Amino acid sequence: MTSKTLNEAQLIALVEKYFAAVDRKNVADTLACFAPNARFSIANHGLLYEGRDTELKGMYERLNERYAQVWHGQFSHTVDVKAQRIASRFRVENITHQGEKLIKNNCNFFELNAGLFGAVFVYMSGENSLG
């Protein structure tokens, strides 16, 4: 168990705080949810990013450049407090700079370390929007 254990409500709040920061396109607030040595895998696209302040930062900067707007919602969470893990299923709506709306249905698996994301595994429908 980590030195900072979150309860069920805190785990859900962290995930939704993370997605709210992504939706605001606020890279600093997004990265604040991750441990420094975090790993982020887009499993069904065979991609792995390592390091909050390097590879993850670049991934979110590219996401923000790629889309005019992003939105995550309609969450369904499954929480394992003892293991400090949470699985979240949700809808994604990305708006391109040309005004096209792209809709995805994704599932993320979050593993926490000391109250921050240590590893995230993403399964997304359609094209990779984070590459």
Side-chain angles (χ1 to χ4, degrees), residues 105-118:
N105 291 289
N106 294 3
C107 189
N108 287 13
F109 298 87
F110 300 90
E111 297 179 358
L112 278 77
N113 182 2
L116 297 170
F117 301 144

Side-chain angles (χ1 to χ4, degrees), residues 21-37:
V22 173
D23 292 351
R24 289 191 318 273
K25 300 175 96 175
N26 186 317
V27 175
D29 286 353
T30 299
L31 295 176
C33 297
F34 289 89
N37 61 345

Side-chain angles (χ1 to χ4, degrees), residues 3-129:
S3 60
K4 182 176 182 182
T5 301
L6 303 184
N7 65 32
E8 182 174 354
Q10 291 169 321
L11 287 163
I12 291 170
L14 178 62
V15 167
E16 293 190 8
K17 172 184 163 184
Y18 157 74
F19 282 117
V22 173
D23 292 351
R24 289 191 318 273
K25 300 175 96 175
N26 186 317
V27 175
D29 286 353
T30 299
L31 295 176
C33 297
F34 289 89
N37 61 345
R39 293 173 291 116
F40 191 103
S41 170
I42 306 170
N44 62 314
H45 288 282
L47 297 172
L48 175 64
Y49 299 97
E50 297 183 271
R52 175 189 66 199
D53 300 323
T54 53
E55 293 184 7
L56 272 73
K57 181 180 179 190
M59 179 188 69
Y60 288 108
E61 289 172 342
R62 288 187 300 277
L63 173 70
N64 291 345
E65 291 170 6
R66 185 173 292 126
Y67 297 106
Q69 183 179 348
V70 295
W71 176 85
H72 301 80
Q74 300 177 2
F75 297 107
S76 175
H77 303 292
T78 302
V79 179
D80 182 340
V81 173
K82 185 174 182 180
Q84 290 292 278
R85 294 181 178 188
I86 179 170
S88 302
R89 185 172 53 89
F90 53 94
R91 179 181 171 99
V92 180
E93 296 179 5
N94 295 329
I95 309 295
T96 68
H97 291 288
Q98 295 74 35
E100 180 184 4
K101 182 188 283 189
L102 307 173
I103 297 173
K104 297 177 178 289
N105 291 289
N106 294 3
C107 189
N108 287 13
F109 298 87
F110 300 90
E111 297 179 358
L112 278 77
N113 182 2
L116 297 170
F117 301 144
V120 179
F121 301 91
V122 175
Y123 295 84
M124 69 175 61
S125 65
E127 294 291 319
N128 177 20
S129 55

